[in-house]
Amino acid sequence: MQGLSGIWSVLGVLAWSAGTLACALSALWLESRRERYGTARHAVGAALAMTALWGLAGLVIGVANPLLELAEAGRNLAWIFALYRLFAVDGRHASMRPIRPMIAALAFVELLQIATQAAFANIANAQVTDSVFHTAMMLHLLVTTGGLVLVHNLYGGASTQGRLVLRWPALALAALWGYDLNYYTIAYLADDNPGALAALRGLVGLGVGGLLAFGAAKGSEHLRFRPSRSVAFQSASLLLIGGYLIAMVGVAQWLNFAGGDFSQLAQIAFIALASATSVMILPSRRLRGLLKVVLTKHLFQHRYDYRAEWLRFTRTIGRSGGDAGASLEERVIRAVADIADSPAGLLLTPGEGGQLELAARWQWPTAEVPGEAFDLASVRALEASGYITDLDQLRAGKALNVPNFMLPAWLIAEPRAWALVPLLHFERLVGLVVLARPAQTRALDWEDFDLLRVAGQQLASYLAENAGQEALAEAARFDDFHRRIAFVMHDIKNLASQLSLLSRNAELHAENPAFRADMLVTLRNSTDKLNAMLARLSRYGPTSVEALEPVRADEVAAAIAAQFKGRHDVVVVETQPCTVSAKRESLEQVLLHLVQNAVDASDAALPVFLRVTVDGLNGVIEVVDSGTGMSAEFVRNRLFRPFDSTKSGGFGIGAYEARELVRAMNGRLDVESREGLGSRFAIRLPLAEAAQLLETYSSKTAKTGKKVA
């Protein structure tokens, strides 16, 4: 015990010495900073000097000497006067009338403390001494409590600019009287001065002097305490753990009062129940999400740590680690989802007609997205407004203030869909991210909208730049392909010329009529085939189709199905009389390619289905298989990319050529596919009658120069 007492004595001397020196130096420093604390500068400096004298008295006469009470009373009176002067720093002269009575009351209590100590200093009666001690403790508690109330009013009632200056003296006085409040509360309850706390009281002077000196430094008004979110969450977790341990100890002690074997059984049962409960609740993702939301709302001026968010954003987009295999589209989804703590998402991008289609999905395989996810009118509305949509608010009945924007039924019916974030690049919609509901759902506010909007613009630029680079690369590959094909076309053209010449010579010089006839037929067939090959090869440049004509789409489908008889089951399951505006040879080539791909992707026992229908002004030929299927990413980024083939030895240009031929016939080729389920290709061509009416209308408009009624 003597060794422990010696340690506390040494620590006390160090603490009181540090506090005394800090207050003395701070008082001197404050005299040189004339612009700080305004008219209260001298009062604050005097209070620091009195605090230094109090610390010096504690060093010289000891913390147990009753005379130290007189030095403390002088210190408190000085700070009460300084506090009164600080109220005038931000011009609150007119509002100080309610404060003055309380200032006077605190000063009176402190003077009463001095009088009490002086009157009963020489009385040795134990009962009187005990009464004087409790009275002194009560007076101290009155002063410290009143002082803390005034400190609260000093800072809480100050203007925004005044708080920048007053926060340092407010913190200093809160530390001074806050420590005293705890010290005198323990002393009153224990009927004695706590020795350890008394030895360390000098550290209060170190805190007061340090805070006021720091507040007097140049630029201190711009400094703010802003802990990082990770520190705040970890600190909150430690506080929860500490509170849990204290609660456990308290309950265990309470159960111990029961006595006997029952108390031991009760303690064991309680610990087992509490442990099981903590194991089930504490790892809960929902509980952690709720804790994060509460801490973010109440501990930070802004919800987001923008520096941390930006670093994470750039790491996700430029990731070179474990997610290196993820496509740019998937990384775009994740970058947005990380900001809103969303566990999954979808990326929709404009298709050929401008409607939004599924481009990629991240951790959301169950979302059922149709081929046309958003119509063209909604895309235009999003481009004009840039509206970030909180789907929960719309489901709750909130009106949508975006003209012509309609949420599709599949999105409303999807329970996990939570928010829509448009990606705009120069007021053009290049994508739309659909976020899944986080573990702890909350309503999006202005800060979420601002951050998601900026992130969406940045991601849109990445997608636009990537699309531009892919277009340049594709153009370069086309240029190389054209150069190679030019030589082939030249050789074939020469061969066709030679065969044509041979055919003419044979007509003139062949003596055998039968031989001459067979040779002519053979040569003419060869010439026709070579010319047809030249025509097809020329389409790899600017795709061209000869004059369009009415073509029976149902007959073409039946003819293609007949070609596969005996090789694979190709069944025409539905056919309607349908005459489209097309070129029969080109339509057969497109349909033959699509059916062949469907056959290659399907098991030998699974048939390929053809369906010919009429949809409005268009005829539709569908090719449906139950084969391996394709991912949305493959359909979006690779299916129609030339020279990118999944077949060994393939040219990788068939699907591209098929789409270009359909486009040249004023049609459209749509694709829907799911991995493991199969694919559906739909050739949409205008009906012949509709195309004729449109051509007639266009020709009359061109002749008259005005619209035809």
Side-chain angles (χ1 to χ4, degrees):
M1 293 298 293
Q2 291 181 354
L4 185 60
S5 177
I7 293 175
W8 280 115
S9 298
V10 173
L11 291 177
V13 171
L14 293 176
W16 284 86
S17 299
T20 301
L21 183 61
C23 288
L25 293 177
S26 180
L28 294 175
W29 166 254
L30 190 59
E31 284 299 318
S32 65
R33 310 297 296 177
R34 299 181 181 276
E35 71 280 4
R36 294 298 172 180
Y37 306 131
T39 58
R41 178 170 60 88
H42 296 295
V44 173
L48 282 170
M50 289 300 298
T51 307
L53 291 176
W54 167 72
L56 183 61
L59 281 173
V60 174
I61 64 178
V63 296
N65 196 310
L67 294 177
L68 187 62
E69 298 283 344
L70 298 177
E72 183 177 345
R75 180 205 72 178
N76 286 341
L77 287 171
W79 279 117
I80 291 171
F81 178 72
L83 187 59
Y84 172 75
R85 298 295 298 166
L86 285 169
F87 271 97
V89 167
D90 61 342
R92 281 184 283 173
H93 301 282
S95 61
M96 290 175 61
R97 287 185 179 181
I99 302 299
R100 289 168 184 163
M102 192 169 184
I103 293 286
L106 291 180
F108 173 77
V109 172
E110 200 60 62
L111 292 174
L112 184 61
Q113 174 85 297
I114 297 174
T116 303
Q117 293 292 336
F120 296 95
N122 297 322
I123 297 177
N125 187 289
Q127 185 175 1
V128 174
T129 303
D130 187 60
S131 299
V132 171
F133 175 81
H134 283 89
T135 301
M137 294 302 104
M138 289 297 298
L139 294 176
H140 281 304
L141 289 174
L142 284 174
V143 172
T144 54
T145 304
L148 289 173
V149 170
L150 286 176
V151 170
H152 176 268
N153 291 334
L154 172 69
Y155 185 77
S159 63
T160 303
Q161 294 299 322
R163 288 183 178 182
L164 299 178
V165 178
L166 292 175
R167 56 181 169 171
W168 303 108
L171 281 173
L173 290 174
L176 175 69
W177 284 324
Y179 190 94
D180 285 355
L181 179 64
N182 291 281
Y183 174 77
Y184 288 119
T185 300
I186 295 173
Y188 181 83
L189 295 175
D191 291 332
D192 193 12
N193 288 315
L197 293 180
L200 297 178
R201 285 187 75 190
L203 291 178
V204 175
L206 179 61
V208 171
L211 287 170
L212 288 171
F214 194 78
K218 186 177 181 180
S220 62
E221 63 274 9
H222 302 298
L223 297 176
R224 294 185 180 180
F225 179 67
R226 293 177 177 174
S228 65
R229 278 158 173 74
S230 59
V231 171
F233 297 147
Q234 292 172 8
S235 301
S237 301
L238 291 176
L239 288 175
L240 287 176
I241 293 172
Y244 174 78
L245 292 176
I246 292 173
M248 294 301 100
V249 172
V251 174
Q253 291 297 326
W254 176 74
L255 292 174
N256 191 41
F257 291 152
D261 296 335
F262 173 75
S263 65
Q264 296 181 3
L265 293 175
Q267 289 178 15
I268 293 174
F270 176 76
I271 292 174
L273 179 62
S275 301
T277 304
S278 63
V279 168
M280 289 186 295
I281 294 179
L282 290 180
S284 170
R285 185 176 182 182
R286 184 175 295 275
L287 181 62
R288 294 198 306 270
L290 177 62
L291 177 62
K292 185 174 182 180
V293 170
V294 171
L295 291 177
T296 301
K297 283 183 177 179
H298 298 288
L299 292 184
F300 300 101
Q301 183 179 1
H302 298 289
R303 173 178 293 110
Y304 294 101
D305 185 345
Y306 292 97
R307 176 180 176 275
E309 293 294 341
W310 179 250
L311 292 176
R312 181 173 62 178
F313 178 88
T314 53
R315 282 196 302 268
T316 301
I317 291 299
R319 186 176 296 277
S320 58
D323 290 346
S327 65
L328 174 63
E329 288 77 10
E330 292 175 341
R331 298 200 305 274
V332 165
I333 301 172
R334 182 169 182 179
V336 179
D338 285 344
I339 294 175
D341 291 330
S342 175
L346 307 171
L347 176 63
L348 310 177
T349 54
E352 296 179 14
Q355 303 91 339
L356 291 183
E357 302 172 353
L358 179 64
R361 62 178 76 215
W362 176 66
Q363 298 188 164
W364 200 347
T366 59
E368 294 290 341
V369 184
E372 182 178 311
F374 275 81
D375 58 22
L376 187 59
S378 297
V379 173
R380 296 290 180 262
L382 285 174
E383 285 183 342
S385 65
Y387 186 76
I388 296 176
T389 309
D390 188 337
L391 298 178
D392 286 343
Q393 293 185 4
L394 296 183
R395 294 187 181 107
K398 179 182 177 181
L400 188 63
N401 298 322
V402 180
N404 302 323
F405 179 66
M406 294 292 294
L407 283 176
W410 70 268
L411 192 60
I412 299 176
E414 175 58 53
R416 294 189 66 190
W418 178 51
L420 305 179
V421 181
L423 311 181
L424 297 175
H425 182 65
F426 292 113
E427 299 181 357
R428 182 175 63 88
L429 187 71
V430 300
L432 179 69
V433 175
V434 182
L435 295 178
R437 190 182 310 280
Q440 178 63 34
T441 306
R442 59 176 176 81
L444 297 175
D445 58 16
W446 65 268
E447 193 173 359
D448 298 303
F449 295 148
D450 286 348
L451 185 56
L452 290 174
R453 188 174 292 109
V454 172
Q457 292 174 352
Q458 187 68 26
L459 292 171
S461 66
Y462 290 145
L463 290 174
E465 180 182 358
N466 183 70
Q469 291 177 349
E470 289 183 350
L472 289 175
E474 181 177 321
R477 289 194 296 268
F478 261 115
D479 184 62
D480 178 68
F481 185 75
H482 288 160
R483 285 197 298 269
R484 289 187 284 112
I485 291 299
F487 295 103
V488 178
M489 291 177 64
H490 182 267
D491 293 339
I492 295 177
K493 184 178 181 180
N494 291 337
L495 178 60
S497 299
Q498 293 174 2
L499 290 174
S500 298
L501 179 62
L502 177 62
S503 176
R504 290 194 297 272
N505 291 334
E507 291 178 354
L508 296 175
H509 302 291
E511 298 178 359
N512 190 332
F515 172 78
R516 183 177 60 194
D518 291 340
M519 183 181 64
L520 287 175
V521 171
T522 302
L523 290 176
R524 284 173 180 170
N525 288 338
S526 299
T527 303
D528 292 338
K529 290 181 179 180
L530 287 173
N531 288 328
M533 183 183 299
L534 285 172
R536 287 196 299 272
L537 287 175
S538 66
R539 295 192 190 110
Y540 293 123
T543 302
S544 60
V545 173
E546 298 177 6
L548 302 179
E549 57 188 10
V551 176
R552 288 289 298 271
D554 51 334
E555 294 179 356
V556 174
I560 295 298
Q563 292 186 25
F564 285 86
K565 186 176 182 181
R567 296 162 48 193
H568 194 99
D569 287 340
V570 179
V571 182
V572 181
V573 295
E574 181 181 357
T575 180
Q576 298 178 3
C578 178
T579 303
V580 297
S581 175
K583 183 66 179 175
R584 186 181 183 92
E585 179 186 351
S586 299
L587 182 57
E588 288 179 349
Q589 181 181 347
V590 171
L591 193 56
L592 181 64
H593 173 77
L594 296 180
V595 173
Q596 184 61 56
N597 280 355
V599 170
D600 294 340
S602 302
D603 188 84
L606 297 176
V608 175
F609 301 102
L610 296 180
R611 181 182 292 110
V612 182
T613 58
V614 175
D615 182 11
L617 298 179
N618 294 320
V620 183
I621 307 175
E622 297 183 7
V623 181
V624 183
D625 67 74
S626 302
T628 56
M630 299 170 287
S631 66
E633 178 188 358
F634 182 87
V635 172
R636 178 69 183 177
N637 300 321
R638 297 185 58 189
L639 177 61
F640 296 113
R641 178 182 293 177
F643 321 116
D644 187 356
S645 176
T646 58
K647 300 179 182 179
S648 177
F651 225 165
I653 203 168
Y656 173 82
E657 182 185 27
R659 186 183 67 175
E660 295 304 306
L661 286 174
V662 173
R663 285 179 174 177
M665 293 184 289
N666 302 320
R668 190 175 82 235
L669 180 60
D670 296 334
V671 185
E672 292 183 10
S673 184
R674 291 291 296 274
E675 290 182 286
L677 297 180
S679 304
R680 183 180 73 89
F681 287 79
I683 304 172
R684 296 180 178 273
L685 294 171
L687 294 174
E689 294 179 357
Q692 186 177 4
L693 289 175
L694 182 62
E695 183 179 357
T696 303
Y697 175 82
S698 300
S699 61
K700 289 183 178 180
T701 303
K703 290 179 180 179
T704 60
K706 59 181 179 180
K707 293 183 178 181
V708 180

